[in-house]
């Protein structure tokens, strides 16, 4: 999947720090920091929800310029409790729990303000966080825009996308009896919530394979294999389905309607024109509501951040925002000058002259 990224992104890098954020309701969230400990802070928000972070996600940022914070959101990756557990409880895994987690992490790390970088579900979380805490955000970089509106969800999970990829759609609906296919998200929920692995594992793999198969413009078998491994697939499918059934706990049109709260924040929106998962209509709606943000439509890409054109546009965005930071730091101090000799005061006039 990532061979071509070596020509686009920064070289692989290891964390200089890893830790655990003690969040509420028994959640322990894994986070890591890479790059320059004294650099410009940026937080990377992964997709899904439930996908977790990968080592290559660190590479969108100049390690000499940025202090990069990456975390596995509740229930996935290296965070615990993990949603793959048979009786996983997702009641305390919502958008607003994640927004609170981000703010707790920012404060615990002693960061005054940071750039927010998110793609797919991460774009929704980035918008939600920025609109809740605009004073904590320096810039926003978004990719594959997703706001969990009803028609976005129905497009990909209730049959719209079948018109483009009917063969892949048949695999997605295969685990669901014909009489339950009028409400596929609910049908999948019943199976994913079942504690019996014989029920929830096949459903999770089918759900995850459907998404993985549509992420890239051309098929990526390695990506499909990685996303359909048992533990990751169960957590991913359960968390996504949970969020989607609740519409992300957003009011209708909330994230696009809330742009006024963040309009002043420099931002870049990157969208693949042939994105099947999160079609360009949503990115275009956000662009029209937020014309101040730079809008980049990548002409030969689908959804994934690993698509060459998308990866290049994302790196260009972080480089540009990083260059602004460097130019501010490099601004020379005004030179000290010798104080000028004061001009001699005029001799006082004769005291009688003013009478």
């Amino acid at each position: 999947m990532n061979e071509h990224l070596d020509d686009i992104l920064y070289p692989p890098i290891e964390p200089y720090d890893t830790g655990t954020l003690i969040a509420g309701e028994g959640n322990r969230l894994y986070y890591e920091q890479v790059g320059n400990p004294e650099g410009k802070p940026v937080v990377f928000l992964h997709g899904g929800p439930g996908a977790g972070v990968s080592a290559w996600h660190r590479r969108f940022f100049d390690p000499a310029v940025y202090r990069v914070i990456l975390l596995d959101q509740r229930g996935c990756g290296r965070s615990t409790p993990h949603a793959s557990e048979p009786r996983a409880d997702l009641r305390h895994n919502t958008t607003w729990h994640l927004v609170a987690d981000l703010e707790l992490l920012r404060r615990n790390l002693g960061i005054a303000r940071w750039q927010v970088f998110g793609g797919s579900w991460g774009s929704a979380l980035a918008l939600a966080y920025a609109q809740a805490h605009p004073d904590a955000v320096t810039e926003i970089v978004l990719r594959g825009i997703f706001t969990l509106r009803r028609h976005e969800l129905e497009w990909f999970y209730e049959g719209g996308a079948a018109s483009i990829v009917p063969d892949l759609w048949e695999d997605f609906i295969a685990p669901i009896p014909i009489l339950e296919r009028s409400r596929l998200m609910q049908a999948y929920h019943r199976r994913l919530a079942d504690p019996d692995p014989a029920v929830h594992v096949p459903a999770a793999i089918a759900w995850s394979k459907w998404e993985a198969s549509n992420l890239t413009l051309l098929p990526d078998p390695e990506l499909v294999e990685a996303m359909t491994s048992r533990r990751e697939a169960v957590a991913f499918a359960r968390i996504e389905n949970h969020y989607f059934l609740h519409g992300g706990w957003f009011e209708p049109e909330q994230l696009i309607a809330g742009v006024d709260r963040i309009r002043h924040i420099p931002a870049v929106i990157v969208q693949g024109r042939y994105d099947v998962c999160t079609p360009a209509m949503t990115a275009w709606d956000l662009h029209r509501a937020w014309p101040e943000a730079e809008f980049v439509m990548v002409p030969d890409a689908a959804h994934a951040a690993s698509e060459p054109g998308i990866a290049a546009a994302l790196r260009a965005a972080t480089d540009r925002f990083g260059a602004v930071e460097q130019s501010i730091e490099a601004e020379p101090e005004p030179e000290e000058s010798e104080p000028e000799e004061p001009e001699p005061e005029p001799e006082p006039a004769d005291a009688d002259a003013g009478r």
Side-chain angles (χ1 to χ4, degrees), residues 268-284:
V268 176
I269 300 166
V270 178
Q271 176 68 36
R273 181 171 292 281
Y274 299 108
D275 188 335
V276 175
C277 301
T278 60
M281 61 181 179
T282 301
W284 190 252

Side-chain angles (χ1 to χ4, degrees), residues 113-125:
R113 302 172 71 220
W114 55 6
Q115 181 183 127
V116 180
F117 179 111
S120 193
W121 155 252
S123 72
L125 181 56

Side-chain angles (χ1 to χ4, degrees), residues 34-328:
V34 303
N36 179 358
E38 304 301 321
K40 177 182 179 64
V42 56
V43 61
F44 179 97
L45 305 180
H46 66 69
V53 296
S54 299
W56 70 277
H57 292 154
R58 306 165 185 160
R59 301 174 59 188
F60 288 98
F61 312 93
D62 185 341
V65 173
Y66 279 99
R67 173 187 178 187
V68 188
I69 299 96
L70 307 96
L71 79 156
D72 289 324
Q73 297 159 26
R74 293 191 180 205
C76 67
R78 287 151 287 189
S79 295
T80 59
H82 201 266
S84 64
E85 296 174 5
R87 298 190 180 277
D89 183 358
L90 299 180
R91 289 177 300 168
H92 302 296
N93 192 336
T94 73
T95 301
W96 306 112
H97 286 95
L98 301 188
V99 168
D101 292 343
L102 289 172
E103 188 62 2
L104 179 63
L105 180 61
R106 181 185 70 83
R107 292 175 179 272
N108 281 6
L109 294 177
I111 295 171
R113 302 172 71 220
W114 55 6
Q115 181 183 127
V116 180
F117 179 111
S120 193
W121 155 252
S123 72
L125 181 56
L127 288 167
Y129 174 80
Q131 290 174 17
H133 301 282
D135 293 340
V137 179
T138 55
E139 303 94 12
I140 303 171
V141 179
L142 305 174
R143 184 266 309 169
I145 309 305
F146 182 41
T147 66
L148 285 76
R149 294 178 296 181
R150 186 70 197 174
H151 64 273
E152 296 174 44
L153 295 168
E154 289 181 346
W155 159 260
F156 196 58
Y157 294 101
E158 299 290 354
S163 61
I164 298 176
V165 283
D167 50 340
L168 302 177
W169 181 253
E170 283 196 9
D171 291 340
F172 178 63
I173 63 176
I176 308 300
I178 292 175
L179 293 179
E180 295 185 60
R181 291 179 185 174
S182 61
R183 294 189 173 185
L184 285 164
M185 285 190 288
Q186 286 86 346
Y188 262 101
H189 177 73
R190 289 189 285 273
R191 287 155 181 81
L192 294 169
D194 194 305
D196 184 354
V199 176
H200 68 246
V201 171
I205 290 174
W207 177 285
S208 301
K209 182 181 179 182
W210 163 245
E211 182 155 335
S213 300
N214 285 288
L215 290 176
T216 53
L217 190 60
L218 299 176
D220 188 338
E222 291 182 12
L223 177 59
V224 174
E225 182 180 359
M227 289 186 62
T228 53
S229 63
R230 175 173 171 158
R231 184 173 185 267
E232 286 70 21
V234 171
F236 179 78
R238 280 180 165 169
I239 295 172
E240 276 203 340
N241 181 268
H242 168 65
Y243 272 69
F244 299 167
L245 281 179
H246 291 89
W249 296 271
F250 297 125
E251 296 296 325
E253 303 288 335
Q254 178 175 339
L255 295 180
I256 294 176
V259 159
D260 281 348
R261 292 185 56 79
I262 58 174
R263 191 177 301 280
H264 62 287
I265 300 174
V268 176
I269 300 166
V270 178
Q271 176 68 36
R273 181 171 292 281
Y274 299 108
D275 188 335
V276 175
C277 301
T278 60
M281 61 181 179
T282 301
W284 190 252
D285 288 345
L286 182 62
H287 167 59
R288 290 196 301 174
W290 194 7
E292 297 86 354
E294 179 184 350
F295 182 74
V296 181
M297 182 75 83
V298 181
D300 56 351
H303 181 74
S306 60
E307 298 272 70
I310 291 178
L314 292 173
R315 175 179 165 171
T318 64
D319 282 352
R320 179 159 64 84
F321 289 143
V324 170
E325 187 78 7
Q326 285 185 303
S327 67
I328 293 172

